[in-house]
Amino acid sequence: SDPTTLLKENTKDSISVLSANCYSHTHIVGNMAARLSSSMQSTSQDTSLRTKEGVASALAELRQLPVLSVVEEKLHARHQLIDWNVKALQMKESTTATGKQHFQTLEKLHNELSSILSMANCQDVRPNEYIEREVKWFVAEDVKRICPESGTWVRNQYKRGCDWRQNYLSIKSVLQPYGYNFGEILSSASAGSVSGVDVSRIKNLLVDHDTLASCFVEECNHLREIE
């Protein structure tokens, strides 16, 4: 056989295979992108991509492809949001049923959401400004669909906790020069030195603490010592 003819035939076969594979990959990604877009509509009847199992199945299919697609990044973020929503709702329910969680637990949950929103878990992917902007927009919108209640609750309670802690630190900074070292009993600290702080601020801060979803046990004990 003529080597040139064989080369042409092999090349033709290779191109046909590559073309078929490319079409197949494009079809899979396009179909998944359409389903994901549909799942963002409240009227959509296909709700499988709003469930952990449905998203996991879609990701497994996309991960068989030789390329990373934008829709795969979006589904990965949704998968994280679904997991995060479960933890956030569990914390919300346990807070109302059994008592308060320490603020550090709430802070960790808040930081996890911020990490998902900022795509902090995609650092190994070559940066692309357009794609990054598109995925970030998708995640910000997806929070409203996947975890609207828990997302708002965590953000609000985190802000309230930060404000409370800042007020506590403000009182602490005023009293320390007078001999108050929170957590230690110092005989040099006199009751009169509390006049450096309006006592009502301490009382109000303790009252505000009762309305928080998280708790600052050590800080509250310090305030009660000088109340």
Side-chain angles (χ1 to χ4, degrees):
S1 298
D2 181 17
T4 302
T5 302
L6 286 175
L7 179 61
K8 288 181 178 179
E9 291 177 352
N10 290 337
T11 301
K12 181 180 179 181
D13 290 341
S14 297
I15 291 175
S16 297
V17 170
L18 289 173
S19 178
N21 286 341
C22 182
Y23 172 80
S24 176
H25 298 162
T26 302
H27 177 73
I28 292 172
V29 171
N31 179 59
M32 201 66 72
R35 288 181 58 201
L36 182 59
S37 177
S38 176
S39 74
M40 297 181 71
Q41 309 300 321
S42 58
T43 57
S44 174
Q45 296 185 6
D46 181 5
T47 60
S48 61
L49 289 186
R50 296 180 189 171
T51 67
K52 181 178 176 64
E53 296 75 15
V55 173
S57 175
L59 282 172
E61 182 177 356
L62 289 172
R63 284 168 181 161
Q64 295 180 18
L65 302 182
V67 293
L68 174 66
S69 61
V70 175
V71 69
E72 183 177 340
E73 290 194 57
K74 291 178 179 179
L75 282 169
H76 177 66
R78 175 170 286 187
H79 195 264
Q80 290 181 308
L81 280 178
I82 291 173
D83 284 341
W84 182 89
N85 186 49
V86 172
K87 291 189 291 184
L89 289 176
Q90 286 175 343
M91 180 176 181
K92 186 175 185 292
E93 291 170 3
S94 66
T95 297
T96 56
T98 61
K100 298 182 177 184
Q101 299 270 0
H102 195 278
F103 179 72
Q104 289 180 344
T105 304
L106 177 66
E107 186 173 37
K108 180 181 179 182
L109 202 57
H110 177 272
N111 291 342
E112 285 178 5
L113 179 59
S114 297
S115 178
I116 297 172
L117 287 166
S118 64
M119 294 174 58
N121 295 319
C122 300
Q123 298 303 315
D124 294 334
V125 179
R126 182 181 300 174
N128 181 301
E129 184 178 345
Y130 172 77
I131 293 177
E132 184 175 311
R133 187 165 57 247
E134 181 180 346
V135 175
K136 282 185 176 180
W137 177 87
F138 168 83
V139 177
E141 290 297 309
D142 221 27
V143 169
K144 303 173 186 176
R145 295 171 178 82
I146 302 300
C147 46
E149 179 185 348
S150 58
T152 299
W153 183 81
V154 167
R155 285 165 167 163
N156 288 344
Q157 290 299 328
Y158 174 73
K159 183 181 185 304
R160 292 191 63 201
C162 287
D163 291 343
W164 191 96
R165 182 172 56 184
Q166 187 57 46
N167 287 329
Y168 163 79
L169 292 174
S170 176
I171 292 175
K172 181 178 179 179
S173 66
V174 172
L175 291 179
Q176 278 184 329
Y178 292 96
Y180 279 93
N181 189 357
F182 290 128
E184 298 181 14
I185 300 176
L186 298 178
S187 58
S188 60
S190 64
S193 62
V194 183
S195 61
V197 171
D198 185 349
V199 177
S200 65
R201 283 184 62 191
I202 298 175
K203 293 181 180 295
N204 290 338
L205 202 56
L206 288 170
V207 171
D208 287 343
H209 184 267
D210 292 338
T211 67
L212 299 178
S214 58
C215 63
F216 296 83
V217 177
E218 186 176 341
E219 291 85 345
C220 279
N221 289 337
H222 295 163
L223 293 175
R224 291 189 181 100
E225 290 175 3
I226 59 174
E227 185 182 8

